[in-house]
Amino acid sequence: MATKKKQSVDIVIPVFNEAGVVEQTYVCLRDVLNGLPYDFRLIYVDDGSRDGTIDSLRKLANADPRISLLMLSRNFGHQAALTAGMDAARGDIVITMDADGQHPPEVIPQMLDLIKQGYDIVQTQRLEEAQPASFKKWTSGLFYRVINIVSGTRMLPGAADFRALSRQAVDALKSMPEYHRFLRGMVSWMGYSSIILPYEEPKRVAGKSKYSFGKMLRLASDAVFSFSLMPLYIGLSAGAIFIILACAQILYVLNLWISGQFQKIVPGWSSLMAVMLIASGIIMILLGFIGVYVGYIFQEVKRRPHYLLKGDKRDE
Ligand code: UDP
Ligand code: MG
C-alpha cells in the first residue's frame, strides 16, 4: 500500500552574531520538530557574523543532516537574510523565525495545522500586553500607528517576521524584486488567505538585540517610503495651505488700500520673517522627501542583488 508522502517544510533562520544562542534555540526547535509528521529542513542563514556563530552552525550542520547553511558575504540585514533563506527553500511550506528564542517553536505545530487547513499565510502577532514597557515597544507602537496612516497597505501592529507561508505565497514573494524590503508589508500587500496567530514573546535566550537604532530607522524608512507616497502629499498640501494664506493676505492688503486705510499697514518685519521661515522650511522638507524617493529609485534601478553568498555548504 502506497504511503502518503510527507509534506516538506523549510525553516529559515537568519543569524547575526548569535554564538552560543543558536545551539540553545536549535535544541528547543529540534525537540518540537521531532514529534511532527513532516519532512523538515532547517536553513540557517549567517548574515556576516563576526563572532563564533559560523563554527556553532557548522557543528550543528555536521550533527544534523537536516540543516543547510547559507553564508552571506557580509552583513546585509535581517530582511535580506530572510530573502536569501526563502530563495533557497524548496519545501511545500516555508516558516521563517529568529534564532534568539523570541519566536517560540511551540507555535509551529499550530502554524502547520492552519496551513494544512488551506491558509497561505499564517502571520504571528506579538501580544503587546504581555510585553513590559520599553523603548522598543514604544517605538514599535508609534511606527505601526504612522505606517497605517500613511500607507494604503494595512499592517498588523506587533506582526513579527515569524510566519508560515505556502509554496504559492513564497513564490509570490520571490516575484517581488524590490531592493528595499519590508517583508511584513510585502506579505500583507500580497493578499491570499491569511490568518493571524497571536503568541507571547519570550525574552531573548542570551545576547543583545542585533537591531541597532540605525537598523530600526532604516527598516522604518524602508516601510514608509517604499509603501507610500503620502509624505509627498503632506509637503504638497502644506504648500497649498501657504499659498491660500498668502492670497488671503493680498486680498486683505488690497482691501485696506482700496478703502483708503493704508496707513494701517505697519512695516511688519517679524510677520514677514515668520512667513518666510515657515515657507522655506516647508520647501526644504518637501525637497527632502523628493530626495529620499529619488534615492530609493536610484537604488532600485541599479538592480543589485539583495545579498551575496559566500562559498561553502551551499544548497544544491
Ligand atoms: N539578524 C540578522 N541580521 C541583522 C540583524 C539581525 O540576521 O542584521 C537576525 C538575528 O540574529 C535574529 C533575528 O535577525 O535571529 C532578529 O534580530 P533581533 O533579535 O536582534 O531583533 P529584535 O528581536 O530585537 O527585533
Ligand atoms: Mg529578537
Side-chain angles (χ1 to χ4, degrees), residues 231 234-243 245 275-289:
I234 295 173
L236 281 179
S237 8
I241 291 170
F242 260 76
I243 289 171
L245 287 178
V275 171
M276 266 177 55
L277 288 176
I278 295 169
S280 49
I282 288 176
I283 291 169
M284 277 182 239
I285 291 171
L286 185 56
L287 276 178
F289 284 150

Side-chain angles (χ1 to χ4, degrees), residues 13 18 42 44 53 61 66 70 84 104 109 114 119-120 137 158 178 185 191 199-200 226 240 244 280 295:
I13 310 167
E18 305 279 11
L42 277 59
Y44 279 94
T53 304
R66 296 175 299 180
L70 285 186
L114 288 165
Y119 288 103
D120 283 299
K137 184 179 173 184
E178 58 248 58
Y199 75 102
E200 248 176 65
S226 60
I244 292 168
S280 49

Side-chain angles (χ1 to χ4, degrees), residues 76-97:
F76 278 91
H78 185 206
Q79 306 290 300
L82 284 168
T83 304
M86 285 190 283
D87 287 348
R90 299 280 171 272
D92 304 315
I93 301 166
V94 177
I95 294 177
T96 54
M97 69 190 292

Side-chain angles (χ1 to χ4, degrees), residues 14 16 18 47 78 98-100 102 136 204 209-210 215:
F16 176 52
E18 305 279 11
D47 187 15
H78 185 206
D98 289 356
D100 60 353
Q102 289 194 290
K136 192 140 194 168
R204 238 173 188 280
S209 170
K210 303 302 173 304
K215 277 186 181 168

Side-chain angles (χ1 to χ4, degrees), residues 149-291:
I149 293 171
V150 302
S151 151
T153 306
R154 169 110 194 103
M155 296 187 205
L156 185 72
D161 281 314
F162 180 27
R163 65 177 74 84
L165 300 171
S166 67
R167 178 41 51 195
Q168 168 168 253
V170 175
D171 287 342
L173 205 53
K174 280 166 69 175
S175 73
M176 294 161 78
E178 58 248 58
Y179 185 77
H180 291 278
R181 300 177 88 71
F182 180 61
L183 289 165
R184 275 158 251 181
M186 290 162 70
V187 167
S188 32
W189 178 88
M190 291 197 311
Y192 293 125
S193 59
S194 66
I195 185 162
I196 296 160
L197 187 63
Y199 75 102
E200 248 176 65
E201 188 178 73
K203 275 217 168 64
R204 238 173 188 280
V205 171
K208 279 203 310 237
S209 170
K210 303 302 173 304
Y211 258 96
S212 59
F213 188 61
K215 277 186 181 168
M216 269 162 65
L217 275 184
R218 216 168 309 146
L219 188 68
S221 76
D222 280 353
V224 171
F225 291 106
S226 60
F227 271 90
S228 159
L229 294 178
M230 180 78 108
L232 291 175
Y233 297 123
I234 295 173
L236 281 179
S237 8
I241 291 170
F242 260 76
I243 289 171
I244 292 168
L245 287 178
C247 292
Q249 197 219 2
I250 290 169
L251 286 177
Y252 173 71
V253 173
L254 272 180
N255 183 35
L256 289 179
W257 271 92
I258 291 165
S259 58
Q261 297 171 285
F262 46 83
Q263 66 279 15
K264 270 195 181 166
I265 306 170
V266 191
W269 183 81
S270 45
S271 51
L272 196 67
M273 279 306 280
V275 171
M276 266 177 55
L277 288 176
I278 295 169
S280 49
I282 288 176
I283 291 169
M284 277 182 239
I285 291 171
L286 185 56
L287 276 178
F289 284 150
I290 294 174

